[in-house]
Every structure is written in structure tokens, then in C-alpha cells.
Amino acid sequence: DTSLTEVNSFSPSVPISPSSMINQYKFEDGPELRDLFITVDDPESHITAIETFITYRVVTKTTRGEFDSSEYEVRRRYQDFLWLKNKLEEAHPTLIIPPLPEKFIMKGMVERFSDEFIETRRKALHKFLNRIADHPTLTFNEDFKIFLTAQAWELSSHKKQGPSLLSRMGQTVRAVASSVRGAVKNRPEMFTEMNNYMETFSQKINLLDKIAHRIYKEEREYFNEMKEYGPIHTLWSASEEDIAESLKGIASCIDHCCRATEKRMAGLSEHLLPILHEYILYSEILMGVLKRRDQIQGELDSKVDALANKRTEKDLFSEEIGKLEDKVERANNALKADWDRWKQNMQWDMRSTFTNVAENNLHYYEE
């Protein structure tokens, strides 16, 4: 985190081009600072009488003392990742848990169980685990360690120890928690600003996502037309001796443009669309975290009001209020630290993503 802050103050001798900024960030964030490396790869299909599903190999290498071994290899399916996310939200309700891809991602663009879908999901799951590994608190969560190290039967046994808090809450309680936001009286200004920021961010990122999908759709239509248009000139050249060479030249040129467009589309679908979608999910997660913080604050406010209106049991109420004040303070501190970290990561992701798009566009038009 410190390295990211220091990069903002470039010395005059360092060129501040987008590419140099990206290189500077990558250089500062050296791998030698990390002690936990996770890879998600090798997707494998499983067909049973009841369902068809994919498992992924999760390889973990670590130098941490709390692990019994330096290397682990396990296989996990999507439901296992979902279980881990729920357990993290349960244990750390006011921390920003990285998003998981939904059950069906990029609907309409790829078919479920197609190679493209599986690869898109694999990358998202890989990023999910590595974001947790890089988080100063989440990385030491016991359920995360079990997820990385336990064999399938051990994980299954651990899951059966009890349903997660979130699954027990049910829709009604979640709806109540969502409604608390408007009722909180003593919310610090900082969290009102966060809420306003996220509302604006959510609108903008959704708009960017719509525009990016529209651009991708237009590119795909253009690409499909060119694929038909090139061969027509080749066929035409066979019946026009005088201009045959020119027609072949145009056909070759269209073919070249076709390949360049395909490369450009790949850049959009692999780099831009997934990042924008990830931050749409992040905006939903952050709004949920802010609501949970407000829920704790609302609980404290209601106890303070009850104490003011009640003459008996003051000692009991005072003790409860003390505990709730500590809980609110811990929630505030956790969210503040995570907020700064998330904003830094988000700005870096956006900068590198749009720089990448710009460079791809330059290469495309040069070609």
C-alpha cells in the first residue's frame, strides 16, 4: 500500500506517460514482499446423473509458519468458492470482500461450459483468491486457509459444521438491514460521503459497461460483415481480368483488417469488459458493507434512545451500549482502512485498463 502512495510523487526525471506509470507500479509491487502465491488452473468437467459441473485446480505455495506444508494442490468447484465468500462476509461484515463471478457471466456473449466461458471464469476465480491473499486481514482467515489446504472430503465435512450466518438471516432480515440506512441519526460524515461516492460510482461504471458492450457488439457486426466481404472480391477477380490484381489487393486488405478487428475484440472481451463488470459487482458489495455498518450504528442509536427513556436497568443498558460503541468503532476503523485500499486498487485497475484499451486502439489503427 505504501508503495502505491509513493508512486504518486514522481521525480521530475521520471517520464509520466501512461506506460511508464504502469511500469512504475508493477516495479514497486515486487513479488518478494509476498509470502502466499495461489494459482487457479486446469479446469475439468464432471458429469453425474444429477448435474454437470467444472472443478478447478488450486495450487498454493507459501512460506508462512501457520501452514503445515509449503505447497498444496486441491480441486474446487464454483460452489466451494461461493461458500468461502459467504464465510468471509460472515466473519468480516464491514470489510470489502472481493466479488465472485456470478453463476452465469457475460450472458448472451458466451455459452455455459464453452471454452471461452470456462476460461473467463477461471481468470475471475484466480483473481478472487489472489485479492483475498493480498488483503492484510482476509489472508489470515481460518476458512480461507481450510479452502486452500483441505482435501475435498475434509472441506465437505467442515462445511457441514453449520450454515453460514448470511444463509440463516433470510431475505426478511436482509431487507430490514437495508432499510436501516435512512434511519441512522449519528452516522459520521465520512460514511455519508462514501455512500454518495458509491452511488455516483455505480451509475458511472454501469454506464461505462453499457457503452463497452455496445462497442463490442458493433465491432462483432463489423467483423462478421468483413468476413463475408473479403471472399466476394476474390471471386470477383476471377471474372475481371483487367482489374483482377486490384480486386485481389482489396481482398487481402480486407482480410488484414478482419484479423486486426478480431484482435481488437479479443482485447475488449479479455481486458475491458471483465474489469468493468468486476467493479459493478464491487459497487454492490460496497453498498452492502455500508448498510451493514449502518445497521450496527442503528443498533447503538436505538439502545442509547432506550436508555434515555428508561429509568430502570441503567447498568445493564450502559454495559450493552459500551459493547456496541466498541463494535461501531471497530466497524468504522475496518471500513475506513479497507475503503482507502479499495480506492487505490480501483484507480490503479481503471488506469491500467483504459491505458491498455488506448494502446490496443493505437495498434489497431496502425495495422
Side-chain angles (χ1 to χ4, degrees):
D1 286 341
T2 7
S3 65
L4 288 175
T5 335
E6 287 165 3
V7 172
N8 291 331
S9 50
F10 288 100
S11 64
S13 59
V14 179
I16 314 183
S17 70
S19 298
S20 70
M21 287 174 81
I22 285 173
N23 292 336
Q24 182 87 359
Y25 273 94
K26 285 179 180 171
F27 176 75
E28 292 287 347
D29 190 19
E32 68 279 358
L33 302 174
R34 298 180 61 191
D35 56 6
L36 186 63
F37 296 86
I38 304 168
T39 309
V40 178
D41 62 11
D42 190 26
E44 199 175 275
S45 294
H46 301 263
I47 301 169
T48 69
I50 304 168
E51 60 178 341
T52 301
F53 60 92
I54 309 288
T55 62
Y56 300 85
R57 181 173 65 174
V58 178
V59 177
T60 304
K61 295 182 181 180
T62 183
T63 55
R64 289 186 188 172
E66 66 264 26
F67 285 84
D68 298 330
S69 172
S70 60
E71 188 168 338
Y72 295 89
E73 182 178 315
V74 294
R75 293 204 74 85
R76 297 287 181 253
R77 57 183 294 185
Y78 179 82
Q79 294 299 333
D80 299 327
F81 287 86
L82 193 57
W83 168 83
L84 174 62
K85 182 174 181 289
N86 288 340
K87 294 297 283 184
L88 291 173
E89 285 178 349
E90 175 189 332
H92 309 282
T94 53
L95 288 182
I96 303 165
I97 311 300
L100 264 181
E102 302 97 327
K103 194 108 176 124
F104 302 98
I105 40 180
M106 295 165 76
K107 204 170 181 181
M109 292 184 64
V110 289
E111 292 297 320
R112 193 186 177 205
F113 299 130
S114 69
D115 291 345
E116 189 183 348
F117 175 88
I118 292 167
E119 177 58 15
T120 304
R121 170 164 285 181
R122 183 201 65 77
K123 285 180 181 173
L125 297 175
H126 176 86
K127 184 181 272 191
F128 169 73
L129 291 184
N130 279 279
R131 285 202 188 277
I132 295 169
D134 290 339
H135 193 283
T137 303
L138 299 177
T139 189
F140 297 107
N141 178 277
E142 188 59 26
D143 288 308
F144 180 48
K145 181 185 169 188
I146 288 166
F147 177 90
L148 296 177
T149 60
Q151 290 306 310
W153 65 269
E154 293 174 301
L155 182 66
S156 180
S157 167
H158 182 72
K159 282 182 181 181
K160 286 173 186 169
Q161 288 175 12
S164 75
L165 175 66
L166 289 178
S167 61
R168 292 199 307 266
M169 278 174 71
Q171 293 301 321
T172 313
V173 180
R174 287 188 214 181
V176 171
S178 302
S179 65
V180 169
R181 178 169 299 280
V184 174
K185 293 182 292 186
N186 301 314
R187 185 199 298 143
E189 183 61 28
M190 167 185 279
F191 298 108
T192 301
E193 287 172 8
M194 280 187 195
N195 181 53
N196 294 340
Y197 181 97
M198 286 315 302
E199 283 177 356
T200 307
F201 178 83
S202 179
Q203 288 169 4
K204 291 187 175 183
I205 203 76
N206 274 283
L207 181 60
L208 281 169
D209 185 61
K210 281 179 187 169
I211 293 168
H213 273 86
R214 192 173 73 225
I215 290 170
Y216 181 86
K217 186 178 172 225
E218 288 171 0
E219 288 287 317
R220 188 170 55 184
E221 287 169 357
Y222 177 51
F223 170 73
N224 289 335
E225 284 178 9
M226 278 197 295
K227 273 207 304 189
E228 294 177 9
Y229 193 48
I232 287 171
H233 283 74
T234 308
L235 290 170
W236 187 9
S237 66
S239 58
E240 296 278 2
E241 285 183 19
D242 295 345
I243 54 172
E245 288 308 308
S246 299
L247 291 170
K248 283 177 185 174
I250 291 172
S252 169
C253 179
I254 291 170
D255 183 53
H256 193 81
C257 289
C258 203
R259 288 197 303 273
T261 303
E262 190 172 23
K263 204 188 299 179
R264 189 187 193 194
M265 283 164 55
L268 289 171
S269 67
E270 288 171 24
H271 303 296
L272 178 63
L273 296 177
I275 287 287
L276 292 176
H277 189 69
E278 182 185 16
Y279 277 95
I280 286 174
L281 298 177
Y282 256 130
S283 68
E284 293 167 5
I285 287 166
L286 267 150
M287 294 302 273
V289 169
L290 285 162
K291 284 173 184 173
R292 288 196 288 274
R293 193 222 71 88
D294 277 1
Q295 188 185 12
I296 298 168
Q297 177 89 55
E299 201 179 337
L300 172 62
D301 291 347
S302 67
K303 289 285 181 192
V304 171
D305 288 346
L307 179 62
N309 299 328
K310 201 167 181 124
R311 293 180 183 175
T312 57
E313 301 176 11
K314 281 201 170 183
D315 291 343
L316 179 63
F317 266 74
S318 298
E319 189 183 339
E320 285 185 24
I321 285 169
K323 286 179 183 174
L324 280 168
E325 283 173 342
D326 290 344
K327 194 175 176 184
V328 168
E329 189 177 352
R330 285 198 304 272
N332 289 351
N333 291 338
L335 182 48
K336 276 191 279 190
D338 241 19
W339 173 258
D340 293 337
R341 176 187 169 79
W342 177 80
K343 274 187 80 174
Q344 258 185 356
N345 286 342
M346 179 269 290
Q347 287 163 357
W348 155 237
D349 280 344
M350 290 297 157
R351 183 185 293 119
S352 59
T353 297
F354 284 107
T355 302
N356 181 275
V357 169
E359 286 174 351
N360 281 346
N361 283 347
L362 284 170
H363 293 319
Y364 169 76
Y365 285 111
E366 282 169 358
E367 283 191 58

